[in-house]
Amino acid sequence: MSRVSKRASAVVITAAAVTLLWAAAFAADTREQEEDRPMRAGNGPGPAANGPGPGCNVIPPLASIGTKVDISQFPPPDSLTDPELAGPVQLLRSGKFDLPIERLTGVNVPSGSPRGTITLPLFKGAVTTASGQKPAWYIILDAGDQAEADRLGVNFSKKLHNAGDAARPASRRADGTFLFESGLVDFGPDRLVVAGSEDRAFPPREARPGSVGDANYSPLVVVDGIVYDAPVVAAAVEDSAINFPIGNPNYALVHDQVIAIDAVNRTVTLSLINGFSFGKPMLYISTEASDPTVAAIEGNTFAPRLRRLEVGIDDIARSAVERIFIATNGASEGGCANPQRQGLSAALLDGHRPNNTFGGTPTTASDYSPVWDANLYEWTQDAIEKGYRGLLTEEFRILKLARDGYITGPNGAPFGSAGPVIVCGVAARLN
């Protein structure tokens, strides 16, 4: 079995990081086999959110399909008037997408295929260590205060104030950046995932994360009484060591979802992942998980401090989490050509995104949190034999199928929280 060392070169073979799985990076021929199991060894982001075929691409069609007129004669989407109405909405206003909202409205459609990335402000704060202060490179995706979220152009999450001790303390420096009291991330390990059998690809036979936070690290940070979702995306080194403005970063020093990082101009470009919330396609960024296996197949940072969060409580008053629904054995036949494709087994087999379903997100519900309580579900054999298995994009449809006995927890266990949490900031709603 081969291994790809992060420290061997600043240019590494990228493999695959998709939501709760690994995928081949930019080339399908990076798949290797061990005992007939797909193997992903390497670092860096996986395929873009606009994957090939209807089963791997959630970007909506133009509204003019099936009509006698061009899309240019259609009025602007209602979401441009009110973001809670139908249509595309950029939620992370601080970012610049290579998939502009205009592409979805049919106005000023750019040529070429979008990469499926977002470029965000990069902050250089500091972290206190035993040997003194070191640089802390971070982004901000969410804030627990509405005015602060508006100021930063990020998502507001009223649930973040319930994070408790899962949020690490920090203070605000004179330049506005954060001074973290503690918490470091090691980006050096090589990420590895070996899938299960072809008939049951999930759970993976082996999984090791590519970046690991220490016991004090958390992307959740409390500053002046406000809790932020502020993931660290690069090692505690000076500017020149992580400056890769045109791409090919050294993944021994940066997060696996980083495409390019510009330490001079303070920007970072990250890979986007596709999913659904209440039937609406969306794009998001995956940054941390509370479990090492989940972090490995997710392609994000293992942050054990996140285990301090209470799960299985969803929307009660003390909850800091919202639910994400993840199929273990969704339809996989035909790969990306299958419009019903979904889930971890499918993604492990074909190397593309699993099309996970989220609970409340900004503009669709008021209970959004970037901290997602993983609810794994498995289609029963009875449901599969009856032809009921298909793409699920809406929370209450999933809950109804669980109530009616067509889906369960893994291996027939009761449906509900599987235990891990995944930190994912929502970037855009696509319709």
Side-chain angles (χ1 to χ4, degrees):
M1 180 187 300
S2 67
R3 297 292 187 273
V4 180
S5 172
K6 286 187 176 182
R7 296 183 174 86
S9 172
V11 180
V12 300
I13 298 175
T14 58
V18 301
T19 306
L20 288 179
L21 60 91
W22 284 64
F26 305 113
D29 61 359
T30 59
R31 176 172 294 188
E32 297 180 42
Q33 298 286 327
E34 181 185 87
E35 297 180 11
D36 297 324
R37 294 175 175 88
M39 196 253 311
R40 314 283 192 265
N43 310 291
N50 54 324
C56 301
N57 189 342
V58 304
I59 297 174
L62 295 178
S64 59
I65 291 176
T67 69
K68 298 179 180 180
V69 296
D70 185 78
I71 186 62
S72 62
Q73 298 185 49
F74 279 63
D78 292 332
S79 60
L80 298 185
T81 300
D82 182 345
E84 295 184 1
L85 298 177
V89 179
Q90 179 174 335
L91 298 168
L92 273 182
R93 300 180 305 282
S94 62
K96 181 179 180 181
F97 290 79
D98 72 348
L99 178 67
I101 296 299
E102 287 82 0
R103 176 179 289 271
L104 302 178
T105 64
V107 180
N108 299 322
V109 177
S111 61
S113 177
R115 290 187 304 165
T117 65
I118 184 172
T119 300
L120 292 166
L122 176 67
F123 299 96
K124 184 183 182 182
V127 58
T128 301
T129 72
S131 59
Q133 291 186 6
K134 293 184 177 181
W137 299 95
Y138 65 95
I139 57 177
I140 298 177
L141 303 179
D142 307 89
D145 177 84
Q146 181 71 71
E148 182 70 347
D150 291 343
R151 182 183 74 84
L152 293 168
V154 300
N155 297 314
F156 166 60
S157 170
K158 67 180 183 181
K159 286 184 172 181
L160 281 178
H161 76 275
N162 290 326
D165 197 31
R168 59 177 171 149
S171 57
R172 199 180 305 272
R173 303 196 297 178
D175 64 359
T177 61
F178 297 162
L179 171 60
F180 303 93
E181 290 187 7
S182 62
L184 292 169
V185 178
D186 178 8
F187 294 97
D190 290 320
R191 198 168 79 228
L192 173 70
V193 169
V194 180
S197 67
E198 185 174 351
D199 292 337
R200 196 173 184 86
F202 181 85
R205 178 184 173 205
E206 186 178 357
R208 297 200 303 266
S211 54
V212 179
D214 65 20
N216 294 317
Y217 173 73
S218 173
L220 308 182
V221 184
V222 59
V223 184
D224 299 333
I226 299 173
V227 178
Y228 297 83
D229 171 20
V232 166
V233 295
V237 295
E238 293 298 339
D239 304 39
S240 59
I242 59 162
N243 195 47
F244 300 93
I246 62 173
N248 292 324
N250 182 351
Y251 286 107
L253 297 174
V254 301
H255 195 287
D256 279 325
Q257 296 302 319
V258 169
I259 301 289
I261 185 166
D262 189 336
V264 176
N265 295 304
R266 299 290 197 263
T267 63
V268 60
T269 300
L270 298 155
S271 181
L272 291 166
I273 300 171
N274 52 28
F276 296 92
S277 173
F278 288 97
K280 298 179 181 296
M282 50 173 275
L283 299 172
Y284 62 97
I285 305 165
S286 182
T287 56
E288 280 86 12
S290 65
D291 178 87
T293 297
V294 172
I297 55 182
E298 181 83 354
N300 64 24
T301 297
F302 169 43
R305 185 168 182 152
L306 291 172
R307 291 172 172 169
R308 303 181 189 186
L309 290 160
E310 185 178 6
V311 297
I313 58 174
D314 203 11
D315 293 334
I316 69 171
R318 69 174 185 270
S319 175
V321 302
E322 181 64 358
R323 290 195 278 185
I324 181 174
F325 303 91
I326 304 167
T328 64
N329 66 340
S332 61
E333 303 81 3
C336 291
N338 184 349
Q340 299 298 320
R341 175 195 170 280
Q342 186 172 46
L344 298 177
S345 289
L348 283 165
L349 291 171
D350 63 35
H352 287 273
R353 312 296 188 181
N355 299 330
N356 292 329
T357 303
F358 291 72
T361 57
T363 71
T364 66
S366 62
D367 56 359
Y368 163 72
S369 172
V371 184
W372 300 95
D373 181 357
N375 282 223
L376 302 186
Y377 68 90
E378 178 178 292
W379 289 93
T380 66
Q381 189 60 37
D382 179 57
I384 295 171
E385 291 175 356
K386 290 178 177 177
Y388 297 163
R389 178 171 59 175
L391 179 67
L392 300 178
T393 64
E394 195 270 325
E395 174 180 357
F396 286 96
R397 174 64 174 163
I398 295 172
L399 300 183
K400 182 179 185 299
L401 288 166
R403 183 200 68 186
D404 295 343
Y406 292 114
I407 62 174
T408 66
N411 299 314
F415 173 82
S417 174
V421 298
I422 311 162
V423 179
C424 303
V426 176
R429 196 189 80 202
L430 300 183
N431 73 4

